[in-house]
């Protein structure tokens, strides 16, 4: 399931934030569901950003400026 895949990736990349392609490129629509809404309703083990809620446009711009995405 998606949850299991994300839990595995969180273990491998603990400092990564989970986003959809559309969060990084406004020409993309994938994964065709709201990732932040999904994260609000799923408990992804060891995901340290779970408590922070959704990423804002400012968060995304910060990550882009830092070259992290």
């Amino acid at each position: 399931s998606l949850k299991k895949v994300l839990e595995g990736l969180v273990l491998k990349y603990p400092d990564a934030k989970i986003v959809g392609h559309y969060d990084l490129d406004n020409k993309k629509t994938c994964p065709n569901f709201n990732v932040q809404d999904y994260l609000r309703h799923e408990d992804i083990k060891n995901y340290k950003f779970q408590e922070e809620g959704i990423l804002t446009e400012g968060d995304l711009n910060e990550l882009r400026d830092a070259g992290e995405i």
Side-chain angles (χ1 to χ4, degrees):
S1 73
L2 176 59
K3 182 177 177 178
K4 287 191 183 284
V5 170
L6 291 174
E7 287 175 347
L9 290 170
V10 164
L11 287 175
K12 190 172 183 178
Y13 306 101
D15 295 324
K17 289 192 177 187
I18 300 170
V19 298
H21 287 146
Y22 62 83
D23 289 316
L24 308 175
D25 181 348
N26 63 4
K27 294 177 184 158
K28 304 232 181 212
T29 61
C30 50
N32 296 313
F33 67 92
N34 187 311
V35 173
Q36 300 306 312
D37 189 50
Y38 173 82
L39 292 173
R40 269 190 234 107
H41 295 95
E42 282 292 335
D43 182 26
I44 307 298
K45 288 181 191 172
N46 301 310
Y47 184 49
K48 68 182 186 180
F49 302 106
Q50 192 84 33
E51 296 295 319
E52 291 181 17
I54 63 170
L55 289 175
T56 65
E57 189 61 34
D59 293 333
L60 291 170
N61 286 335
E62 238 179 77
L63 292 169
R64 287 184 192 108
D65 291 345
E68 295 182 34
I69 57 172

